[in-house]
Amino acid sequence: MKKFAILHGPNLDRLGRRQPEIYGTATLKDLEKLIRAEARRLGCGVTFFQSAHEGALVDKIHALTDHGIAGFVVNFGAYSHTSIALRDALASANLPAIEVHISDIAQREEFRRHSITAGACRAMISGKGFPGYVEALQQLAKL
Ligand code: CA2
């Protein structure tokens, strides 16, 4: 069975607690539940990791790659806009990755409009809320 990793960056563990007008009222746990249900339907496995630390995310990408992960769904939060290290880590994994943003980063502040890490991903899904993760997993499962 193919297994995919869902990686989250800083502050996404706060989902549902603040800024509901941007990110909704559901929590990261709710999101994991939704993704697990879709994985069951698709017949694939999923594993989750969230960290506020760029290096911890880099290390996790390498460890998962070495342990046979089939691909990644990533939302690196603010690191999406700043992190060459995470982009390099994904590129070095040489595995399919899809970047998801809950909000539509193209419609927000100037500094959020460009994603550095999306350059190492096959696609970016932005502004579709939690269903964006379901779509990302479906795309990965099809490959
Ligand atoms: O829209 C997205 O998914 C983002 O990746 C979310 C990041 C933001 O820095 C990106 O520009 C776009 C921030 C996540 C912060 O999440 C919070 C959730 C609840 C309360 C406060 C922040």
Side-chain angles (χ1 to χ4, degrees), residues 12-62:
L12 285 153
D13 52 332
R14 311 301 286 175
L15 278 175
R17 299 187 198 197
R18 284 186 48 219
Q19 296 187 277
E21 67 288 359
I22 302 176
Y23 302 114
T25 53
T27 65
L28 189 59
K29 278 270 160 296
D30 296 329
L31 175 58
E32 290 184 4
K33 219 169 133 186
L34 178 77
I35 295 170
R36 267 187 221 291
E38 185 61 17
R40 219 170 296 123
R41 207 185 63 76
L42 293 166
C44 61
V46 277
T47 181
F48 298 90
F49 182 72
Q50 186 276 330
S51 178
H53 303 278
E54 189 178 20
L57 288 160
V58 169
D59 290 346
K60 195 70 184 177
I61 291 167
H62 295 323

Side-chain angles (χ1 to χ4, degrees), residues 1-8 32 35-36 39 44-50 57 59-76 90 93 95-100 121 133 136-137 140-141:
M1 184 198 269
K2 275 189 182 173
K3 194 170 179 179
F4 299 106
I6 321 300
L7 305 182
H8 280 108
E32 290 184 4
I35 295 170
R36 267 187 221 291
C44 61
V46 277
T47 181
F48 298 90
F49 182 72
Q50 186 276 330
L57 288 160
D59 290 346
K60 195 70 184 177
I61 291 167
H62 295 323
L64 288 163
T65 302
D66 291 347
H67 286 91
I69 205 79
F72 299 95
V73 175
V74 301
N75 181 351
F76 293 127
L90 273 187
L95 290 168
I98 300 190
E99 179 162 303
V100 175
C121 298
Y133 289 85
L137 194 62
L140 283 182

Side-chain angles (χ1 to χ4, degrees), residues 9-20 22-24 75-81 100-105 108-109 111-112 126-127 133:
N11 299 315
L12 285 153
D13 52 332
R14 311 301 286 175
L15 278 175
R17 299 187 198 197
R18 284 186 48 219
Q19 296 187 277
I22 302 176
Y23 302 114
N75 181 351
F76 293 127
Y79 288 146
S80 315
H81 316 294
V100 175
H101 293 287
I102 298 166
S103 64
D104 183 358
I105 58 170
R108 297 189 64 191
E109 304 95 320
F111 61 85
R112 291 186 207 275
S126 178
Y133 289 85

Side-chain angles (χ1 to χ4, degrees), residues 107-126:
Q107 302 298 322
R108 297 189 64 191
E109 304 95 320
E110 175 69 36
F111 61 85
R112 291 186 207 275
R113 292 193 194 148
H114 179 67
S115 167
I116 288 180
T117 51
C121 298
R122 293 201 174 204
M124 181 175 79
I125 299 169
S126 178

